[in-house]
């Protein structure tokens, strides 16, 4: 095996700390760049394998069921969706990069399925109860630097959305609703509901009263979360075609 000579040795770039720090770049040979790129790919693959190994086969099977249900609403029986949701919640998955996934540029999350908290509790105890159901309306939510917005869309006819700030800590995301938007055809009317206050600056007592989501899973394709009322829901990353037909694309630009 051929090794690089002292002239082509691979030196890392120095790290920069602070506004006045200096960085010196040392040239690398093409051969070094290839070896570094290969090492990075191997490290990335090892990391992905390690993450996959931490998810139990039963949890992977449950996530697979939820992906099928989300990609083709109605294709999986509600009772099976409920059992899969219970399994994913019990897995207590680590919230690795969940916030980054949730707020990824261009990401909008379509509501697919909901079930009341009492039925989730009954299912987890293997007792009789309801199975929840697929959400009948076009509902979608989005998280970005401007805040959180969630609403129902009626194609070109109109929409109703609610917007405010949010803050995520681990798997818990608090959000506030400060403005309601009413859309009718090409018009969109903003109706302030209360004064907007950054969640980080909010009084502790008021903060504890905010609605929230407790996420059980946030992936590049689906989301599972429980709301403050105890109900659990399944979302899927909305495709451009659905966003256009539902009318959400006109709002979530």
């Amino acid at each position: 095996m051929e090794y690089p000579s002292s002239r082509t040795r691979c030196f890392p770039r120095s790290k920069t700390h602070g506004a006045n720090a200096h960085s010196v770049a040392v040239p690398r040979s093409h051969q070094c760049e290839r070896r570094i790129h290969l090492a990075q790919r191997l490290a990335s693959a090892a990391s992905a394998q390690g993450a996959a190994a931490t998810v139990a086969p039963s949890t992977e099977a449950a996530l697979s069921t939820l992906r099928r249900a989300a990609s083709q609403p109605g294709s999986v029986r509600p009772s099976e969706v409920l059992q899969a949701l219970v399994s994913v919640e019990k897995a207590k998955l680590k919230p690795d990069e969940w916030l980054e996934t949730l707020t990824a540029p261009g990401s909008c999350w379509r509501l697919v399925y909901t079930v009341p908290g009492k039925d989730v509790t009954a299912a987890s105890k293997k007792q009789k109860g309801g199975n929840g159901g697929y959400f009948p309306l076009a509902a979608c939510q989005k998280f970005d630097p401007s805040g959180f917005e969630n609403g129902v869309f009626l194609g070109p006819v109109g929409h109703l959305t609610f917007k405010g700030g949010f803050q995520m800590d681990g798997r818990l995301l608090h959000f506030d609703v400060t403005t309601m938007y009413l859309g009718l055809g090409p018009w969109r009317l903003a109706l302030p509901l209360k004064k907007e206050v950054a969640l980080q600056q909010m009084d502790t007592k008021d903060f504890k009263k905010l609605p929230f989501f407790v996420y059980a899973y946030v992936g590049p394709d689906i989301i599972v979360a429980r709301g403050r009322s105890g109900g659990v829901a399944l979302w899927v990353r909305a495709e451009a075609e659905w966003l256009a037909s539902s009318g959400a694309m006109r709002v979530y630009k």
Side-chain angles (χ1 to χ4, degrees), residues 117-139:
K118 61 182 180 64
D119 294 327
V120 179
T121 300
S124 65
K125 296 180 179 180
K126 300 188 182 302
Q127 299 174 349
K128 288 186 177 181
N131 295 316
Y134 290 94
F135 199 72
L137 302 177

Side-chain angles (χ1 to χ4, degrees), residues 121-206:
T121 300
S124 65
K125 296 180 179 180
K126 300 188 182 302
Q127 299 174 349
K128 288 186 177 181
N131 295 316
Y134 290 94
F135 199 72
L137 302 177
C140 189
Q141 62 183 9
K142 181 182 180 181
F143 300 85
D144 62 26
S146 69
F148 159 82
E149 189 166 4
N150 184 35
V152 176
F153 300 86
L154 302 174
V157 177
H159 63 267
L160 178 65
T161 68
F162 299 88
K163 188 172 183 177
F166 71 92
Q167 177 179 316
M168 190 168 187
D169 302 289
R171 63 180 68 249
L172 179 62
L173 184 146
H174 285 87
F175 62 94
D176 196 11
V177 176
T178 58
T179 306
M180 178 175 73
Y181 290 91
L182 180 61
L184 183 61
W187 295 283
R188 177 171 162 86
L189 177 64
L191 302 171
L193 301 177
K194 63 180 180 179
K195 182 180 179 181
E196 186 171 357
V197 178
L199 271 64
Q200 295 85 348
Q201 301 173 1
M202 192 173 288
D203 180 78
T204 302
K205 185 178 179 180
D206 293 333

Side-chain angles (χ1 to χ4, degrees), residues 1 15 20 31 42 86 90 112 159 215:
M1 179 176 181
K15 295 183 179 179
N20 297 322
Q31 189 176 30
L42 292 174
V86 170
K90 286 184 176 180
V112 174
H159 63 267
Y215 289 92

Side-chain angles (χ1 to χ4, degrees), residues 212-234:
F212 59 76
F213 290 123
V214 180
Y215 289 92
Y217 179 76
V218 177
D221 48 1
I222 61 171
I223 290 175
V224 176
R226 182 185 289 262
R228 182 165 192 143
S229 65
V232 178
L234 170 66

